[in-house]
Amino acid sequence: MRPPPVAVAPASLWPEITIVTDAALCFATWNINSIRARAHLVHDWLDRNPECTLLALQEIKCEEHQFPSSFAEAGLHVAILGQKAYNGVAFISRRPISVTMQGLPGVTDPASRYIEVECDGFRLGNLYLPNGNSGGDEGYARKIAFFDGLTERSRTLLAQKIPFAFIGDYNVCPTDADLAPGALSAQDALVRPETRSAFRRLLWTGLTDALRALHPSGPYYTFWDYQSAAFQRNSGIRIDHALLSPRAAERLKSVSIDRDERAREKCSDHVPVIIKLA
DNA sequence: ATGGCTATTGATAATAGA
């Protein structure tokens, strides 16, 4: 057991903020678009990224019992919230993890889209937000309802003074700088003003968009459509994000997007985003 | 305007993704 963090400065604007000495931590998020189709890519990636302690996966597209056993057999810790055919989120970790939540309070959508774990005193929420383009008004309402649930969850964790990150596929381009010209129509649920507003309401609970904190301008994409040679044309969008609690944000060292993964054979249409905390 | 890619399934055509 490691000792609890030692506070050396008083709380400021956010009650959770204190300057602390915590162990370094590296984690990543990756919408894998079927773990069964791409388990080998995940193993390869983990082998090449030994410093990454936790990997959050989205769209595993299987039930718990269908999740490849190779990860646990390799000595990795696994936490899964799955369902048949669609959605599904999971953690693969080099360190022990305990599940603190499955699904978000108040979110009635039965789809498997949120799992949260504790690891060495840090909390990680792994989310796959509804796309919102299908299912008409009801489908879009589920997207906004998920944002509301996540916003409430942020307030709860902040009130509990737990350092955390919400990582995953948010299915939102926060600003026009987060998509290539022409990559999406203006009516798309990923860029609708109501979607961006919901994202900002979540941010304004006191969270930090890790990539933009370190890279305020310029195009950074995490998804390229399989169609129309989108990757070759770099017609991408940034929809996979890491939002950090204040105490986590103070420790932010780097954010990197592993775009090389998009060039691999039979790859996912998303690439890993890696976050390092001091 | 359409199709274009890729995955899934009480498939082999439909649905969802983004």
Side-chain angles (χ1 to χ4, degrees):
Chain A
M1 295 294 292
R2 69 197 180 76
V6 178
V8 296
S12 61
L13 179 59
W14 293 284
E16 188 231 12
I17 282 191
T18 45
I19 296 176
V20 296
T21 53
D22 273 325
L25 181 63
C26 177
F27 52 84
T29 177
W30 193 4
N31 180 321
I32 196 60
N33 185 18
S34 172
I35 186 61
R36 289 178 293 175
R38 295 185 234 286
H40 62 291
L41 291 177
V42 175
H43 277 292
D44 284 354
W45 190 88
L46 288 168
D47 289 345
R48 284 181 285 111
N49 292 270
E51 79 290 352
C52 183
T53 300
L54 295 111
L55 174 60
L57 299 169
Q58 302 86 37
E59 282 203 90
I60 61 171
K61 293 189 171 178
C62 68
E63 297 176 282
E64 284 85 346
H65 71 274
Q66 299 173 304
F67 196 91
S69 58
S70 52
F71 298 101
E73 286 161 6
L76 296 160
H77 304 265
V78 178
I80 306 161
L81 180 66
Q83 70 176 83
K84 185 186 285 287
Y86 298 117
N87 310 314
V89 286
F91 280 100
I92 298 175
S93 175
R94 302 186 196 277
R95 294 277 304 149
I97 49 178
S98 59
V99 176
T100 52
M101 188 162 281
Q102 294 185 323
L104 282 164
V107 175
T108 54
D109 182 354
S112 295
R113 294 182 178 275
Y114 185 81
I115 186 169
E116 185 185 288
V117 298
E118 187 272 341
C119 179
D120 295 332
F122 196 82
R123 198 68 66 91
L124 272 172
N126 173 6
L127 63 114
Y128 174 47
L129 226 131
N131 173 296
N133 279 312
S134 62
D137 291 346
E138 201 176 308
Y140 187 73
R142 282 197 290 273
K143 178 170 194 147
I144 299 302
F146 193 100
F147 264 119
D148 292 343
L150 197 58
T151 300
E152 192 54 40
R153 186 63 186 151
S154 174
R155 291 197 182 99
T156 298
L157 291 172
L158 288 168
Q160 294 176 354
K161 308 186 194 301
I162 296 170
F164 68 94
F166 288 157
I167 57 178
D169 179 356
Y170 283 73
N171 269 317
V172 51
C173 301
T175 74
D176 286 344
D178 297 310
L179 73 163
L184 297 173
S185 84
Q187 293 75 39
D188 196 288
L190 279 61
V191 298
R192 276 174 62 166
E194 302 93 323
T195 305
R196 288 174 167 173
S197 176
F199 183 79
R200 287 193 297 270
R201 283 199 297 278
L202 171 60
L203 275 182
W204 291 345
T205 62
L207 306 186
T208 296
D209 178 341
L211 183 119
R212 285 306 181 200
L214 296 182
H215 308 283
S217 63
Y220 291 87
Y221 305 139
T222 65
F223 168 96
W224 295 261
D225 201 294
Y226 287 125
Q227 303 178 69
S228 314
F231 184 61
Q232 286 70 22
R233 297 185 294 112
N234 196 27
S235 179
I237 61 181
R238 186 175 77 99
I239 55 176
D240 299 276
H241 308 299
L243 301 194
L244 307 180
S245 76
R247 218 168 91 193
E250 288 184 341
R251 296 163 55 193
L252 180 60
K253 276 293 178 222
S254 70
V255 181
S256 54
I257 297 173
D258 191 354
R259 64 175 282 143
D260 290 349
E261 279 304 317
R262 189 61 182 80
R264 292 172 71 95
E265 187 90 9
K266 288 282 191 179
C267 60
S268 170
D269 37 10
H270 299 246
V271 297
V273 180
I274 305 112
I275 296 89
K276 290 183 177 168
L277 305 184

